[in-house]
Amino acid sequence: MQALKGTHDILPEEVYKWDYMEGVIRDVCARYGYKEIRTPIIEATELFQRGIGDTTDVVTKEMYTFTDRGNRSVTLRPENTASAVRAYLEHKMYGDQQVHKMFYIGSMFRYDRPQAGRYREFHQFGLEVLGASSPLADAEVIAMACEIFHKLGLKDLDLHLNSIGDKNCRPAYRKKLIEFFEGKKDQLCDDCRERLYKNPLRILDCKEEGCRRASVGAPEITDYLCDECHRKFEAVKHYLDSLGISYTVDPRLVRGLDYYTNTAFEIQYPPLGAQSAVCGGGRYDGLVEEIGGPSTPGIGFAIGLERLLLALEMQNLIPAPKAQKRVYIAALGEDAVAEGFKIQEELRGLGIVTDMDLQGRSLKGQMKQAGKLASQFTVIIGSNELEKGAAAVKNMDTGTQQDIPFADIAGYIAKEEHNS
Ligand code: AMP
């Protein structure tokens, strides 16, 4: 049996890398005042149809949707924003009139063609700010993404920034875009021909060569922003400038759906090639209403953790795990093993990493094992030691050995460890 295509194991030897990334992320979240939310991995399909939009690739082609035994259509979450907003509404978090800042870390599922940096089960860290309409929130969110990359030491990232307007100014732009592409319909891929009237902005970020050529010279949203959206965009840029965060305004960076408003951004690490986006986000002032709640502004982003890990590995930025100080108990004979087993629990109780043989190895084999595990102390209990009521405790670093009564071993090692 093998893991399903597009899914992968994170083996015990690799988990430290994930712990490291998540540790840095959690630390930054705490400093920016974000609290973790954990939502179910499975939700009603309708939530994603409404929350992501039923003209998007994710919803039309990529969802793991099935009928459960109660005949309900359910879906493995392809992203976490819709679920976070559902939780926000279900638990009436809006009732306190406060800004809610939440983050999540977890598995997402999309049935896409797997390739380097693209998986069917992947992990995202993301955050959502609900209840804040100020451009300061947009800038804070972007600054926070940058701070995470900065803390991890990652260099050579490109921040792309755009404003996609709002329901006042976008319709006119949409119309212009449709007019522009209507004359070039035959150059568009099948998907984009479909999108032309439903979701024309998405044609701008289609990766097909024909669509890319067709969109050269297309009208740019930044020329159509209303005063209000223009002012907000300028404010976001101003705040980013004030922090020295550099960005490229990219009018092709779009999100096609009506509930997305104003800020859209993406952070890329170009050496990752075709899947270079490590972070994507933006403002979604219409989403909460779309899911059935009161009008509530929102903004968020998600970082793909597999891609982040690839980037960190390319720049050699993951510190080696700290070597743990260990004790190995080598015991031979039933009674000696029973004595060692008790001492092992005492040591573990004092917070000292302790192991003993579980495979019936000879005493020599056990000593070898102690060396392999890079133990700092080995406690040796054979028939002689049982008779004396004291074990030979060997300091593996210095090679010195001392007899210590069984009852004192845990205390002795704890003290030695403390002093070393
Ligand atoms: P999105 O939710 O599509 O805005 O994606 C946000 C981030 O998640 C992207 O910038 C990627 O880093 C990551 N991501 C999205 N889809 C995948 C995937 N299929 N495999 C790995 N990472 C992904």
Side-chain angles (χ1 to χ4, degrees):
M1 297 288 279
Q2 289 191 334
L4 291 173
K5 193 172 163 196
T7 70
H8 62 104
D9 298 306
I10 303 171
L11 297 174
E13 291 71 35
E14 296 162 340
V15 166
Y16 77 90
K17 301 177 187 171
W18 291 77
D19 282 346
Y20 170 68
M21 284 194 299
E22 292 175 16
V24 171
I25 286 169
R26 285 176 186 283
D27 180 53
V28 175
C29 284
R31 278 193 283 122
Y32 281 71
Y34 286 74
K35 287 194 184 144
E36 184 173 9
I37 181 165
R38 300 187 187 191
T39 60
I41 280 177
I42 191 167
E43 298 268 3
T45 301
E46 192 196 348
L47 173 67
F48 301 117
Q49 286 167 339
R50 282 164 58 181
I52 304 174
D54 45 20
T55 59
T56 57
D57 286 353
V58 169
V59 169
T60 54
K61 300 184 197 157
E62 296 172 6
M63 292 210 298
Y64 277 88
T65 296
F66 58 96
T67 308
D68 74 3
R69 287 170 193 271
N71 224 17
R72 295 171 206 92
S73 180
V74 294
T75 295
L76 297 180
R77 63 181 183 198
E79 50 104 77
N80 216 154
T81 303
S83 311
V85 169
R86 194 241 340 111
Y88 174 82
L89 292 177
E90 187 172 332
H91 302 285
K92 298 198 171 46
M93 293 189 211
Y94 50 83
D96 62 6
Q97 312 287 317
Q98 297 295 312
V99 173
H100 286 264
K101 305 206 273 190
M102 309 185 265
F103 76 95
Y104 58 82
I105 298 177
S107 289
M108 310 296 151
F109 302 84
R110 294 183 196 174
Y111 194 87
D112 201 348
R113 199 168 44 78
Q115 53 176 273
R118 191 156 82 200
Y119 306 90
R120 288 181 175 168
E121 184 199 15
F122 59 100
H123 297 78
Q124 279 184 343
F125 151 69
L127 55 82
E128 318 295 345
V129 182
L130 290 159
S133 59
S134 163
L136 200 56
D138 306 47
E140 171 183 300
V141 156
I142 296 171
M144 185 169 163
C146 295
E147 172 68 1
I148 287 170
F149 295 126
H150 174 72
K151 279 274 154 203
L152 289 163
L154 206 56
K155 297 208 171 63
D156 306 326
L157 295 162
D158 296 331
L159 167 60
H160 293 253
L161 185 66
N162 195 19
S163 169
I164 54 170
D166 65 7
K167 57 177 185 293
N168 298 321
C169 50
R170 204 160 45 211
Y173 172 65
R174 203 172 175 275
K175 209 166 140 231
K176 279 272 178 257
L177 210 54
I178 294 174
E179 279 166 23
F180 175 82
F181 282 117
E182 265 176 337
K184 301 178 168 220
K185 246 187 196 163
D186 50 338
Q187 296 175 38
L188 300 178
C189 70
D190 291 348
D191 282 347
C192 283
R193 265 201 298 273
E194 278 258 316
R195 283 174 187 141
L196 182 56
Y197 298 101
K198 287 190 205 157
N199 197 346
L201 272 74
R202 280 293 317 280
I203 302 174
L204 296 174
D205 72 353
C206 178
K207 303 285 178 284
E208 294 291 327
E209 194 42 47
C211 302
R212 285 191 153 270
R213 264 199 311 266
S215 54
V216 172
E220 296 187 345
I221 178 81
T222 30
D223 294 332
Y224 291 81
L225 296 179
C226 59
D227 289 349
E228 175 76 0
C229 289
H230 180 73
R231 190 186 56 75
K232 286 183 176 167
F233 193 35
E234 289 305 307
V236 174
K237 289 192 287 182
H238 172 72
Y239 291 132
L240 292 177
D241 292 339
S242 74
L243 297 182
I245 294 175
S246 53
Y247 52 84
T248 308
V249 173
D250 180 355
R252 301 180 72 94
L253 182 62
V254 290
R255 303 180 153 228
L257 299 166
D258 288 347
Y259 46 72
Y260 289 115
T261 50
N262 300 112
T263 306
F265 71 98
E266 192 168 271
I267 300 178
Q268 297 176 358
Y269 181 57
L272 290 177
Q275 307 301 317
S276 65
V278 284
C279 174
R283 184 166 271 289
Y284 50 80
D285 287 352
L287 177 59
V288 179
E289 243 176 323
E290 181 71 31
I291 296 182
S295 169
T296 309
I299 180 162
F301 69 71
I303 293 178
L305 294 180
E306 278 80 2
R307 291 186 196 172
L308 177 59
L309 182 60
L310 282 171
L312 292 173
E313 285 181 329
M314 285 165 98
Q315 294 189 20
N316 212 2
L317 288 171
I318 312 227
K322 268 204 194 124
Q324 279 178 317
K325 289 189 177 171
R326 283 176 179 270
V327 175
Y328 193 84
I329 299 185
L332 198 67
E334 233 171 79
D335 292 343
V337 166
E339 195 60 56
F341 190 58
K342 273 198 306 191
I343 297 169
Q344 175 175 247
E345 282 304 287
E346 281 179 49
L347 282 160
R348 288 175 174 170
L350 294 176
I352 297 168
V353 181
T354 309
D355 272 312
M356 66 189 290
D357 173 57
L358 296 172
Q359 295 171 294
R361 287 192 169 92
S362 66
L363 203 54
K364 198 168 150 207
Q366 291 182 46
M367 293 302 288
K368 237 172 141 177
Q369 188 64 13
K372 232 188 198 162
L373 293 174
S375 299
Q376 205 194 3
F377 291 96
T378 305
V379 176
I380 305 155
I381 314 175
S383 49
N384 281 348
E385 285 76 20
L386 263 188
E387 246 167 59
K388 283 190 282 187
V393 178
K394 184 169 179 183
N395 182 327
M396 307 291 274
D397 296 337
T398 61
T400 55
Q401 192 166 311
Q402 271 195 61
D403 285 349
I404 309 285
F406 293 149
D408 300 339
I409 291 175
Y412 169 79
I413 291 180
K415 204 168 119 214
E416 289 286 302
E417 271 223 318
H418 185 73
N419 293 339
S420 69

